[in-house]
Amino acid sequence: MADNSEHWRDIDPRERALLMHLLRDEFQGKAEILQQMNSVEVMRVSPEGSLRLRTSGPVADVRDNDAPSPRANDKIPVEGFYDDDKKSFLSVAKLVRLALHVTDGRLSELEIYKEDGSTIVTGPYEIDLSRVHFY
């Protein structure tokens, strides 16, 4: 998708709430990332809800979590998930993954996808945040 200014917009409250939930635990570079959140703008890049992120503020020195990013100069310091299966807790989990990307020290993307490739039933901005867990 083009980087045209007309596609960028202010982050909405539900998007901000999900990002802040993902940023709640301690990690290297968190203080700078939180400062970047003060200027964040977003662009929707997928039907699942993935967002490109554009910020100003101090550059963050972050490290990958357990799932390193395959992209150059990109790190995933925080990754969460929730079970999108509305059946009983004994059913096979259908996980929606939420990966926060930082490229060259700046928030760059909130990547959202369902592990099994099926359609997401409960969207990432409608989920009860108490159901979002961390790796």
Side-chain angles (χ1 to χ4, degrees):
M1 185 172 265
D3 218 15
N4 298 332
S5 61
E6 67 265 14
H7 296 293
W8 291 99
R9 61 174 171 77
D10 290 336
I11 191 168
D12 79 27
R14 293 179 303 171
E15 294 163 341
R16 180 176 293 281
L18 179 58
L19 281 169
M20 294 305 290
H21 182 74
L22 290 173
L23 295 171
R24 71 183 188 177
D25 287 341
E26 290 302 317
F27 60 91
Q28 181 177 320
K30 178 181 176 179
E32 292 83 2
I33 294 296
L34 289 175
Q35 288 181 49
Q36 291 178 23
M37 282 296 297
N38 293 327
S39 65
V40 71
E41 293 180 307
V42 301
M43 179 189 304
R44 187 93 173 245
V45 294
S46 79
E48 293 80 20
S50 292
L51 299 171
R52 283 194 54 204
L53 306 170
R54 180 168 73 176
T55 67
S56 60
V59 172
D61 180 20
V62 300
R63 300 205 188 291
D64 276 320
N65 68 2
D66 291 340
S69 175
R71 303 174 192 172
N73 301 318
D74 187 83
K75 307 237 185 287
I76 302 174
V78 177
E79 188 172 10
F81 67 93
Y82 64 92
D83 187 353
D84 197 35
D85 192 349
K86 295 202 178 239
K87 297 177 185 170
S88 76
F89 68 95
L90 296 175
S91 65
V92 175
K94 296 184 185 263
L95 298 183
V96 174
R97 304 281 291 261
L98 310 163
L100 186 62
H101 290 258
V102 174
T103 306
D104 294 325
R106 298 204 178 278
L107 287 169
S108 60
E109 182 179 357
L110 175 58
E111 180 184 17
I112 299 169
Y113 63 95
K114 195 164 180 181
E115 280 187 344
D116 68 3
S118 64
T119 302
I120 294 175
V121 176
T122 305
Y125 307 111
E126 286 75 40
I127 191 75
D128 175 351
L129 294 177
S130 70
R131 292 183 49 203
V132 175
H133 307 284
F134 300 88
Y135 289 100

